[in-house]
Amino acid sequence: MTTHQEEKNDPTSIQHLPTKDEEEYITPDDVLKGAQQATDEELKMTLREAIRKYPTACFFSTLFSCALIMEGFDKAFITAFFAFPAFQKRYGKLTATGDYQVPADVQAGVNGGVSAGQIIGLALNSYLADRFGYRRVMLGCLFFMVCFVFLQFFANSIYMYLGAGVLLGIPWGVFQVITTTYASEVCPNVLRPYLTSLVSMCWSIGYLLGTGVLTAFLKMEGQWAYRIPFALQWVLPIPLAIGILLAPESPWWLVRKNRVADAEIALRKLRKKDVEDDEIARTLSMMVYTIKIENEMHTSSAYKDLFTGVNLRRTEITVFTYVIQELCVPLLSFVVYFLQQAGLPTSESFKFGLGQYSLAIAGVVVAWFLTPWFGRRTLILSGISFVTATTFLIGFLGIPKGNPITYGNAIGSILLLQYFVFFFTCGPVIYTVVTEIPSSYLRSKSVSLARATYNVNVIIYGQLMPRTTQKAWWNWGAKSGFFYGGIMCIGIIWGFFRLPETKGRTFAEIDILFKNNVKARDFPKTKVDLANQTVSRED
């Protein structure tokens, strides 16, 4: 039986990669040779071959992503409850029009509180995940989420509901990063866009289930109309915790911690059982060599490295790529409440919400077919451009003073089309890009910072959306499409000049491209020499 001894030296110099019969010491030249072979194998690997070789990685990555089904289910309540009659009557105020409304400033406070909690969770994750690994942090957050749902369930005022939202935001913030980073680190390059975009699908599944539950309880009166949906949040955490307890840790995290032997064990669990030792050794060599490149670039896991040298550019791209996503979805995120304020009956607004999330799930499936043929950059820029144009169209539809139901249905149809296009273009692809751009050492911190910045924008939009659309405030209604469409144009301009194409690149190749300061639009035309860490222009 093979014995595994934890490597005490720098894993980028000389380390052991045990075979079945003996421990074999490998020189740095052997590591380079193994890394080159593993890179070639990974770039040639087909989707079918990757699924066959990494079945367990697919399963556990999907299991981690299912935490976002739970988060989407919960977060569907945050905004949709503001259009929910029983909730409005319990926590809202009687308006001059004779109906109950939760005041716009309170709505903004709840939305901002949830986003603030997520920012706290993201900040904690960037430290905790680096120190304790992905599995332990996920298990801890599932436990705390179960506890915080009690506060939401027993809330006797809108402010207690707000406090529960802040606390729930903390584990939600952690889920947002760990799910994507774990997915990107347990699979080969060809599987990465599928498993990372699955994160987007899981969110939509959660929102669909949450909105469906609210629709089912729409005609129910009294406190149990909203307390029962709260209680359903306790269903998923226990089975998820059991599955995550059995999952292997990310081999990239283990290599960064100089636990090469443990990384080998994790790789064996992530791959099919009959994998050859040489293939495992080559994959480990590729990981070790990638860490070596980053060490030569003086990269570590310290926060200051996010803003120094070449990592500053990588941080900018990661952050702005995430922010672009929020710039595109202000009307989509509040679709139920937005349509209600535009004049549609509550039941019709919720039906549009169900249609929206169903199309989002279908959109991710379409994206899986488009991703192999189109680059990440192409899909993101195309999606932003379409959403921007149709948002301006919504603004024009807000100008006429005709039947609000007619225009409300037209606007709702455009929003459904927007959501579908968004989710087969930029929506799911963004989760792939933000895990590919950062260095291995800084991946968790970069994605955490990007998601935190995203949530700052959520807070800003959370303040603006109720005020721009609610009749009791600015009453812009659909005309707010002009305002939000103008902001989206910023994303198009930035993406065109700054967003690089990372399709078909390993983490080591991306490191070398940034190390050599290759321009964003030149990424697809540049050839990488792994041994010399140099680049050349392809003809």
Side-chain angles (χ1 to χ4, degrees):
M1 183 175 178
T2 303
T3 59
H4 300 286
Q5 177 185 355
E6 182 173 328
E7 178 60 31
K8 296 181 180 178
N9 299 325
D10 180 355
T12 63
S13 57
I14 298 176
Q15 81 287 338
H16 58 73
L17 302 177
T19 65
K20 288 182 179 179
D21 302 317
E22 62 181 0
E23 283 189 341
E24 178 183 351
Y25 286 85
I26 300 180
T27 66
D29 288 340
D30 291 328
V31 171
L32 173 59
K33 183 179 179 181
Q36 289 173 321
Q37 291 176 337
T39 299
D40 291 340
E41 291 169 359
E42 188 165 311
L43 293 177
K44 293 176 183 177
M45 191 180 296
T46 64
L47 176 61
R48 181 177 296 181
E49 185 181 2
I51 294 173
R52 181 178 62 82
K53 288 186 174 183
Y54 288 85
T56 316
C58 294
F59 172 76
F60 282 117
S61 175
T62 303
L63 185 71
F64 268 70
S65 297
C66 283
L68 295 176
I69 295 179
M70 182 175 56
E71 180 189 346
F73 182 84
D74 303 346
K75 289 182 72 175
F77 300 155
I78 298 298
T79 55
F81 263 138
F82 296 139
F84 196 71
F87 188 88
Q88 288 175 323
K89 190 172 182 180
R90 173 64 181 82
Y91 294 110
K93 294 181 179 179
L94 187 63
T95 65
T97 58
D99 59 349
Y100 286 88
Q101 289 281 339
V102 177
D105 54 348
V106 177
Q107 287 189 38
V110 172
N111 291 320
V114 171
S115 297
Q118 290 174 345
I119 292 172
I120 295 170
L122 291 163
L124 290 173
N125 172 76
S126 59
Y127 168 76
L128 296 174
D130 277 342
R131 178 163 183 175
F132 299 108
Y134 302 153
R135 291 171 60 255
R136 291 181 182 178
V137 176
M138 280 289 288
L139 290 169
C141 286
L142 286 171
F143 169 77
F144 283 112
M145 184 186 157
V146 169
C147 297
F148 296 151
V149 169
F150 277 97
L151 294 176
Q152 196 178 52
F153 182 83
F154 290 107
N156 53 25
S157 72
I158 192 65
Y159 298 103
M160 187 173 175
Y161 178 74
L162 187 157
V166 174
L167 292 173
L168 281 166
I170 296 174
W172 291 348
V174 173
F175 296 153
Q176 291 165 5
V177 177
I178 285 187
T179 49
T180 50
T181 52
Y182 185 84
S184 69
E185 293 187 359
V186 298
C187 65
N189 180 62
V190 68
L191 281 175
R192 200 181 302 146
Y194 298 95
L195 293 181
T196 51
S197 63
L198 186 64
V199 166
S200 182
M201 177 185 280
C202 288
W203 252 314
S204 297
I205 291 172
Y207 275 106
L208 176 64
L209 292 174
T211 306
V213 167
L214 293 185
T215 303
F217 285 89
L218 200 57
K219 295 182 179 179
M220 185 176 180
E221 296 182 358
Q223 61 176 333
W224 292 107
Y226 54 86
R227 291 197 190 277
I228 292 176
F230 286 151
L232 291 176
Q233 295 175 94
W234 285 312
V235 173
L236 277 179
I238 293 176
L240 279 179
I242 294 171
I244 291 170
L245 191 63
L246 300 173
E249 186 54 81
S250 162
W252 281 92
W253 182 83
L254 292 167
V255 171
R256 289 195 295 269
K257 292 298 180 182
N258 203 8
R259 294 166 56 183
V260 180
D262 289 336
E264 180 196 2
I265 295 171
L267 270 175
R268 291 189 183 278
K269 290 181 179 179
L270 291 168
R271 301 192 59 163
K272 65 176 185 176
K273 293 182 179 180
D274 60 347
V275 64
E276 296 179 358
D277 289 336
D278 288 345
E279 198 169 346
I280 291 288
R282 290 194 294 270
T283 303
L284 282 172
S285 293
M286 180 175 64
M287 294 179 180
V288 168
Y289 190 71
T290 303
I291 301 299
K292 176 179 182 294
I293 294 171
E294 294 176 6
N295 283 339
E296 291 172 354
M297 295 166 66
H298 305 291
T299 297
S300 71
S301 59
Y303 266 113
K304 63 180 179 61
D305 286 324
L306 288 170
F307 309 103
T308 57
V310 70
N311 286 315
L312 177 60
R313 179 188 175 195
R314 301 174 82 163
T315 301
E316 174 219 327
I317 295 169
T318 306
V319 169
F320 273 83
T321 301
Y322 236 136
V323 169
I324 280 176
Q325 188 183 44
E326 175 59 19
L327 292 180
C328 290
V329 296
L331 302 184
L332 300 177
S333 297
F334 291 79
V335 62
V336 174
Y337 186 78
F338 176 74
L339 290 175
Q340 190 190 54
Q341 294 302 303
L344 277 186
T346 300
S347 59
E348 292 297 314
S349 300
F350 273 91
K351 287 178 182 177
F352 271 108
L354 289 172
Q356 176 191 32
Y357 300 128
S358 300
L359 286 174
I361 296 168
V364 175
V365 176
V366 173
W368 287 345
F369 290 95
L370 295 178
T371 301
W373 301 100
F374 298 95
R376 283 87 154 119
R377 171 187 165 94
T378 301
L379 289 173
I380 290 174
L381 289 177
S382 300
I384 299 171
S385 299
F386 179 84
V387 172
T388 301
T390 48
T391 300
F392 277 116
L393 178 58
I394 289 172
F396 282 111
L397 287 174
I399 296 175
K401 300 295 184 181
N403 187 344
I405 295 179
T406 301
Y407 287 104
N409 279 301
I411 293 168
S413 299
I414 293 172
L415 287 173
L416 290 182
L417 180 60
Q418 267 193 357
Y419 215 64
F420 181 59
V421 173
F422 177 81
F423 271 93
F424 71 73
T425 54
C426 49
V429 176
I430 280 172
Y431 295 102
T432 305
V433 173
V434 297
T435 58
E436 291 177 330
I437 294 296
S439 68
S440 175
Y441 275 117
L442 294 171
R443 186 169 296 121
S444 182
K445 283 186 170 61
S446 295
V447 178
S448 294
L449 177 64
R451 188 70 194 189
T453 309
Y454 169 95
N455 280 307
V456 170
N457 283 270
V458 172
I459 292 174
I460 295 171
Y461 274 160
Q463 299 292 320
L464 286 173
M465 272 301 299
R467 289 171 169 81
T468 56
T469 59
Q470 194 175 99
K471 297 173 184 177
W473 283 74
W474 302 346
N475 195 26
W476 291 359
K479 292 192 289 293
S480 58
F482 292 121
F483 174 73
Y484 295 112
I487 295 175
M488 291 175 195
C489 291
I490 299 171
I492 298 175
I493 296 170
W494 176 87
F496 182 79
F497 289 103
R498 299 294 291 171
L499 183 64
E501 179 56 68
T502 53
K503 177 190 173 186
R505 299 291 191 181
T506 64
F507 289 139
E509 288 180 311
I510 293 171
D511 282 340
I512 294 170
L513 287 166
F514 278 110
K515 181 179 180 180
N516 288 274
N517 295 313
V518 177
K519 293 181 180 179
R521 284 175 285 176
D522 291 339
F523 266 51
K525 301 174 286 188
T526 303
K527 185 177 181 180
V528 175
D529 185 332
L530 201 63
N532 298 315
Q533 300 178 29
T534 57
V535 297
S536 58
R537 185 73 174 266
E538 290 182 347
D539 296 329

